[in-house]
Amino acid sequence: MVVVRSHTTRGCPLSATPKASRPPDDGRCRFDELYAAHRVQILGYALRRTSDPQDAADILAETFLIAWRRLDAVPHGAEARLWLYGVARRVLANHHRGVRRRSALSHDLADRLRSDLATGYVPEEPGDLAPAAEAFRELPERDRELLALVGWEGLDNGEIATVLGCSRNAVRIRLHRARRRFARELERRGASASQSRTLAAAHGEHA
């Protein structure tokens, strides 16, 4: 059995890491700080987009493994969180590649949507969130991701642009179109015009 002894450098605790891949001690300190500051947000991002907590944990681990390997590329300050979201998004895409679009993930997203929308307005009838869940599932994946980045991660247009690697104006246009498609899907399923505007606004108007 191999016994690993932890030690500290400059007050920063170090955990076991293969020597071949270990950055300098100050890099290790930075990675530990990065993980402590953002692991909850990245795990939440993954949990909201998977149907299995173990899958979310795997996505979290892979995201930070990439951050470890590319530590010099990780920006400082608030931009680090957005960089990690971008990595997590690509890891998630790989995870879902080959999986049927109408999978357990879609149902999980719908359940999340019901919960989130319930906090945004008072339903006229107990069961009137079902059309919203169905409408959300029918949106293209790109639309769902944009609306989720606004509604779940609370990102603004500039932050979403950083995550997606596109311009702020492109995000604004795509969000506008996503909200319109969402509103049309809602109306097709019997939601009132006022409800459609409220639900669509809750997922992008304030971005």
Side-chain angles (χ1 to χ4, degrees), residues 139-155:
L139 291 175
E141 183 177 349
R142 281 166 49 116
D143 288 353
R144 294 200 306 267
E145 177 65 6
L146 278 170
L147 298 177
L149 286 171
V150 173
W152 295 345
E153 268 59 63
L155 303 186

Side-chain angles (χ1 to χ4, degrees), residues 15-94:
S15 57
T17 305
K19 289 183 179 180
S21 62
R22 175 181 292 168
D25 289 342
D26 58 347
R28 177 67 208 202
C29 285
R30 189 187 173 214
F31 177 82
D32 288 345
E33 292 167 358
L34 189 73
Y35 183 79
H38 301 296
R39 66 181 178 82
V40 172
Q41 292 167 311
I42 300 304
L43 179 60
Y45 178 96
L47 283 169
R48 286 185 284 270
R49 290 161 174 81
T50 56
S51 58
D52 186 340
Q54 184 58 54
D55 290 341
D58 290 343
I59 290 165
L60 173 72
E62 180 65 20
T63 297
F64 277 97
L65 178 60
I66 293 171
W68 168 259
R69 291 170 174 168
R70 301 183 56 199
L71 194 58
D72 289 343
V74 181
H76 291 268
E79 292 293 309
R81 175 174 62 104
L82 304 180
W83 188 92
L84 288 168
Y85 276 144
V87 172
R89 178 172 174 266
R90 290 188 289 275
V91 172
L92 188 70
N94 289 336

Side-chain angles (χ1 to χ4, degrees), residues 153-181:
E153 268 59 63
L155 303 186
D156 62 27
N157 285 5
E159 292 171 330
I160 293 173
T162 299
V163 172
L164 301 183
C166 61
S167 71
R168 185 186 183 101
N169 189 55
V171 170
R172 181 184 62 79
I173 293 170
R174 286 173 55 186
L175 270 174
H176 175 70
R177 292 171 178 170
R179 292 194 296 268
R180 290 184 60 185
R181 280 190 284 265

